[in-house]
Amino acid sequence: MIGAFLPRQCRDVSLAALVGLLAFGTVARGQANVVVAKGPQYQLPPKPIADLIDAPPTPATSIGPNNKWMALMQRAALPSIAELAQPELRLAGLRINPRTNGRSRRSYYTQLVLKRISDGAERPVTGLPDDPRIGHVKWSPNGKMIGFVVTRPSGLELWMAEVETGKAKRLTYPRLNGVFGTPYNWMPNSSGLVCRMVPNRDKEPPMAPEVSSGPTMLTSRGKTAPARTYQDLLKNAHDQKLFDYYATARIARVSLKSVLTPLGPGAIITRAEPSPDGHSMLVETRHRPYSYLVPLSRFPKRVEIWDLAGSVVRVLADLPLAEEIPVAFGSVRTGPRSFGWRADEPATLYWVEAQDGGDPRREVDIRDRVYTLSVPFRGDGKELVALNLRYGGIRWGDDHLALVSEWWWKNRKERTWRLDPSRPGSAPELLFDRTWEDRYNDPGSPMMRTNSMGASVLLTSGKNLFYRGSGASPEGNRPFLDRLDLETKKSERLWRSESPHYESIVEVLDANKTTVLTRRESPSEPPNYFVRDLQIDEPRQITHFPHPTPELAGVHKELIHYARADGVKLNGTLYLPPGHKPQDGPLPTLLWAYPQEFKSADLAGQVTDSPYRFVRISAHSPLLWLLHGYAVLDDPSLPIIGEGDVEPNETYVEQLVAGAEAAVDEIVRRGVADRNRIGIGGHSYGAFMTANLLAHSDLFSAGIARSGAYNRTLTPFGFQAEERTFWEAPDVYFKMSPFMHADKINEPILLIHGEADNNSGTFPLQSERFYNALKGHGAFARLVMLPHESHGYRARESVMHMAWEMTHWLDRHVKDAKAPTDAPTAAPGADTD
């Protein structure tokens, strides 16, 4: 069945012809007819770029809990704009498809194949409906079945397939409620599943009133309630009714024979998770009063324990609306939070409670306490551990072992402690104390396994743990596998990736024999999976995914190193088109970047890429233009550093320009580029960067800014890694806002934005007002708003048109930088300005 994943033929109908067809008719694909209006048409980029965008996706993979089978999941191609234009409700920070009662804009798989790891034998999953849209794939705890959701035109269905036969069967009709993500959990003994279902409804969705019954009123009663710039919030009483209608669910048990047993009443149920012994359930619900200021995560929350008959055993917490959480990083709501089941016990809960009122600015000795409570869930919880920093998570292991992490934003510190959970309150033992900015000394993450109760626990061998990591180093990332002796706290390196490949650990198949499953790739070899005995040099390949874009096999990839004027070490990944030789002379060049903040200049210069990664091009990648004659410097380091008590953004502009200047100097020195033909671009915070570089330097001949924010007064309670408010640091907000410096931008800039952007801070208004400011000052600018698109662009038509716009912009203003600055040639109606 690997043949099913070979590249498919490119579509026969051109995009322009398709759009022309849509302009006069309708499209139907498992949905109501969609009428497409006439007007400006989507365009196609040059064929080599279009072919790269249409390249078939490599299958995703999922390893079964017993490490015997893996699932190969064929990703769907880019959806059509008609699919993206389906009805969508934007409520409480969620985007809901009212036709399916699930999330809108979800990606999905079209095919499932089961592969046995021992010998590579394949078993296709059969019995699926035509044109299946598969999502939420989860293995049963015993590894004998795989569950998944199939999206149908009228709703979400629960399906499962047996590994032994590959035969799939439907377990429910399209009544799953997928508003809050994966709508089911397996029972720990694999006897069935627990689902969130759409309740029986005797009413149609609430209709918006034609005439309002009154104004929407908000009142502040003197309490501090800062909030970042969330989008898709509830706005009025009708939104609240819609949210109630689509978010309400009822829990049901579903047997493997499709017998449904409803449990408890309907409610806005966001979580229903069985205990490891399968006799209890942790249930979380939301309730009124709702908020117009913050999303669902801050709504009032009730946490309960149910029995399997649907009766409430105990209410663990009923938390109020949380509009007043500070905006500083590390802020949390007051009261119990982060509830979960201990993976090493049949039915023991744990949770965390802040000791500083949830405010990291308060000076306290203890920030968080972790508590546990065992069946029958009576009395108060027992304190497991007290933490000086903010709780960061816990991993449970058998044999009286747990690892708990804590972290702190201001100094980027993180610690990992070893606990004996059988002795609550006993002193923990420190394993790691480090800064997360130090990637060269990152110990990695502990390997996990599935225990007899179907829960994920730490993988151990005697007194040893196993850690895998990316292995950042000055020569690039080199993934590793370590064995950590818990008694001596010393690590032994069992294996490390070697050139000319980039190989990473996926699973430890046998801890005693140190047999592992790895994922291996090189610049010219696509990622594939191998079984490796660490005592033997040669691994055994078990997948054979083909090169999705063989036309890129000859691309030159190089990890380059250079320094900023102040001595900070920098690096980036340089790509040259296939067949290009130094004697061919400099190329038009595109820099594509995304700045990052650091507290240490030394750590900011660490290398985090690898020269041995496969050259994989996504539909949004700047590497598309390698086949159009461009060199690309991808992700050049642009660190913004603030050591000690100094905030990084105090000198954002100066450091940004210095980093970009160093990158330009290096590629010019190498003969790759000439100074008059270099473009700069980025997405989101990279778009913000692009506009700032054009405003404060003359390093680039043009810029491309996608889905950015340009006026920081519109994000006054913090943005990116800036936690100070506008009122605390007005000069920083003003200086960092390219909107405030629009009069200084004298290079052409292309702005692209999705009309339905839901990312915090990057409202479509940001690009619209920035364009107006540029136009008002006589700048050469172009604004492209993509219908129905969010922060990232998904529809094939949108992605193709984005590539067309970028190609024409780069050709006009970078490749031929001396040409008159007029608009790109377009089909009739393509340029409406």
Side-chain angles (χ1 to χ4, degrees), residues 302-326:
R302 184 176 293 113
V303 184
E304 300 172 333
I305 298 296
W306 290 16
D307 61 25
L308 290 194
S311 299
V312 177
V313 174
R314 178 170 178 178
V315 176
L316 297 169
D318 195 350
L319 306 173
L321 178 65
E323 285 187 337
E324 299 162 14
I325 298 177

Side-chain angles (χ1 to χ4, degrees), residues 210-453:
E210 295 183 5
V211 179
S212 176
S213 61
T216 297
M217 294 171 284
L218 304 177
T219 303
S220 175
R221 301 187 183 279
K223 291 185 178 180
T224 302
R228 291 211 169 196
T229 47
Y230 301 110
Q231 300 202 49
D232 298 340
L233 300 178
L234 299 178
K235 296 180 178 64
N236 51 47
H238 176 64
D239 279 358
Q240 295 193 53
K241 292 177 182 178
L242 284 173
F243 178 70
D244 283 337
Y245 184 86
Y246 287 102
T248 297
R250 190 176 183 189
I251 298 176
R253 291 185 60 187
V254 182
S255 75
L256 301 181
K257 296 183 178 180
S258 300
V259 177
L260 269 70
T261 306
L263 306 176
I268 298 177
I269 301 171
T270 59
R271 182 182 184 186
E273 183 180 339
S275 58
D277 66 3
H279 298 317
S280 305
M281 276 196 301
L282 177 61
V283 178
E284 296 184 0
T285 61
R286 305 286 171 161
H287 60 82
R288 291 176 181 247
Y290 302 147
S291 173
Y292 297 164
L293 182 67
V294 293
L296 166 79
S297 60
R298 304 279 195 91
F299 288 4
K301 176 179 180 179
R302 184 176 293 113
V303 184
E304 300 172 333
I305 298 296
W306 290 16
D307 61 25
L308 290 194
S311 299
V312 177
V313 174
R314 178 170 178 178
V315 176
L316 297 169
D318 195 350
L319 306 173
L321 178 65
E323 285 187 337
E324 299 162 14
I325 298 177
V327 294
F329 295 112
S331 300
V332 295
R333 71 156 72 219
T334 57
R337 71 181 198 279
S338 301
F339 285 88
W341 292 111
R342 274 182 55 171
D344 61 332
E345 291 280 339
T348 298
L349 286 163
Y350 70 93
W351 68 89
V352 184
E353 294 190 31
Q355 306 300 299
D356 57 3
D359 188 349
R361 293 171 295 189
R362 291 188 182 179
E363 295 294 334
V364 296
D365 292 331
I366 301 299
R367 291 284 172 186
D368 276 328
R369 297 185 190 273
V370 182
Y371 297 91
T372 64
L373 180 66
S374 298
V375 67
F377 313 113
R378 300 193 185 104
D380 298 327
K382 296 180 180 179
E383 181 179 317
L384 178 64
V385 65
L387 301 173
N388 302 117
L389 309 180
R390 186 65 75 212
Y391 169 79
I394 193 164
R395 291 181 172 95
W396 304 96
D398 296 332
D399 303 321
H400 309 294
L401 173 65
L403 302 180
V404 63
S405 64
E406 59 178 353
W407 62 276
W408 200 242
W409 171 259
K410 285 293 185 182
N411 54 13
R412 311 305 197 259
K413 180 180 286 293
E414 66 176 6
R415 295 175 182 150
T416 302
W417 300 87
R418 176 190 178 185
L419 307 175
D420 182 350
S422 67
R423 300 168 56 206
S426 60
E429 182 181 4
L430 184 64
L431 281 185
F432 303 112
D433 187 353
R434 57 184 299 274
T435 169
W436 68 71
E437 289 184 351
D438 184 5
R439 290 154 294 189
Y440 288 176
N441 293 297
D442 185 354
S445 301
M447 302 293 294
M448 309 296 288
R449 67 176 181 87
T450 302
N451 65 11
S452 59
M453 296 182 291

Side-chain angles (χ1 to χ4, degrees), residues 784-805:
V784 179
M785 303 297 293
L786 298 173
H788 308 296
E789 292 292 353
S790 185
H791 191 60
Y793 320 136
R794 295 192 60 229
R796 181 176 184 267
E797 293 88 336
S798 301
V799 173
M800 290 290 188
H801 188 84
M802 173 201 72
W804 177 84
E805 292 279 359

Side-chain angles (χ1 to χ4, degrees), residues 15 19 40-44 53 78 80-82 84-85 88 90 95 105 619-620 683 704-708 750-758 762-765 767-768 782-806 830 832:
L15 184 58
V19 174
Q41 295 188 347
Y42 292 103
Q43 302 293 320
L44 281 172
I53 293 173
L78 292 174
S80 70
I81 194 68
L84 224 61
E88 181 179 69
R90 302 170 187 175
R95 293 195 164 181
R105 303 172 181 268
H620 307 85
H683 188 92
I704 297 173
R706 299 191 322 215
S707 300
L750 171 63
L751 305 173
I752 303 176
H753 215 120
E755 288 185 352
D757 194 332
N758 66 334
T762 56
F763 296 95
L765 176 69
S767 286
E768 294 167 349
R782 180 173 172 85
L783 173 63
V784 179
M785 303 297 293
L786 298 173
H788 308 296
E789 292 292 353
S790 185
H791 191 60
Y793 320 136
R794 295 192 60 229
R796 181 176 184 267
E797 293 88 336
S798 301
V799 173
M800 290 290 188
H801 188 84
M802 173 201 72
W804 177 84
E805 292 279 359
M806 292 178 63
T832 59

